[in-house]
Amino acid sequence: HRLAREGRLVRPSAIQTMAGFVDQLAPEPQLPAEILPLLIRRALDELAPAAFSAVRDLPGFHRAVAGVWQEFSASPPAVDTPAEELEELLAGCRYGEEFAALYSHVRTQARGLGYSLRLERLRRAADRVRRKESPAASQVLIDGFFTFSAGEVELLDALASGSRVTATLPQWAGAGRAREMLIDRGFGEQRPSA
């Protein structure tokens, strides 16, 4: 969009949001953020984990758990599935097993309602790109992001397997983790000269 605003000739059909691209490749809808705390509440009622009994009825707890899951989806992938990743990340943590069971239960509920979690959709899109099930472009420019989640980095890596990918990030501490993940996957880094 920025290139078009600067007066450069860009076909409108060549500009697409990352969300729109993911929607094409992973058409099942993403679980709306406002539904996640409700599913967490339902899972707490159904599983009744003793570890969370003192806080399970507090609405702030449901929002806090939803926030943790959003942080989790931004972490670097360690294994093949989100549930396995969460179990690995929480191994040895207090209430780790209960938290992983809760996550798995909510994910199953979301699927039953026809939704997928964001990380799953990004991974599905990345997989389809790697299998060449998406329209190919010789060059891809990703601009306007302050950082990238682990799932977004995975999608960029998949795109780079068949296209020349340029992704811009601002020079600020909040982009550091995404920059490291991109470099770990073989992306080069160029900084503007002062």
Side-chain angles (χ1 to χ4, degrees), residues 100-153:
L102 186 65
Y103 177 86
S104 209
H105 195 79
V106 168
R107 194 177 70 169
T108 299
Q109 288 181 69
R111 285 182 178 161
L113 294 171
Y115 294 111
S116 287
L117 302 178
R118 183 172 183 273
L119 180 59
E120 293 172 317
R121 294 184 76 235
L122 287 164
R123 287 189 168 165
R124 197 165 294 118
D127 185 52
R128 292 193 65 193
V129 167
R130 282 190 190 92
R131 290 189 321 229
K132 311 289 186 227
E133 295 178 14
S134 68
S138 60
Q139 291 189 303
V140 176
L141 171 63
I142 308 290
D143 187 33
F145 285 78
F146 290 104
T147 190
F148 296 113
S149 69
E152 290 166 341
V153 168

Side-chain angles (χ1 to χ4, degrees), residues 63-74:
R63 288 190 300 275
V65 171
V68 168
W69 287 351
Q70 289 176 355
E71 287 294 320
F72 162 67
S73 74

Side-chain angles (χ1 to χ4, degrees), residues 16-25:
Q16 185 174 31
T17 65
M18 185 180 288
F21 183 69
V22 171
D23 285 345
Q24 288 178 349
L25 297 174

Side-chain angles (χ1 to χ4, degrees), residues 1-54:
H1 293 291
R2 189 185 79 204
L3 295 175
R5 285 192 302 271
E6 290 174 356
R8 301 201 183 174
L9 296 177
V10 179
R11 279 191 207 128
S13 63
I15 299 172
Q16 185 174 31
T17 65
M18 185 180 288
F21 183 69
V22 171
D23 285 345
Q24 288 178 349
L25 297 174
E28 70 285 345
Q30 180 173 315
L31 180 68
E34 59 274 5
I35 293 178
L36 182 56
L38 300 173
L39 294 183
I40 291 168
R41 168 65 189 238
R42 182 190 297 171
L44 285 166
D45 288 345
E46 291 173 5
L47 296 175
F52 304 132
S53 62

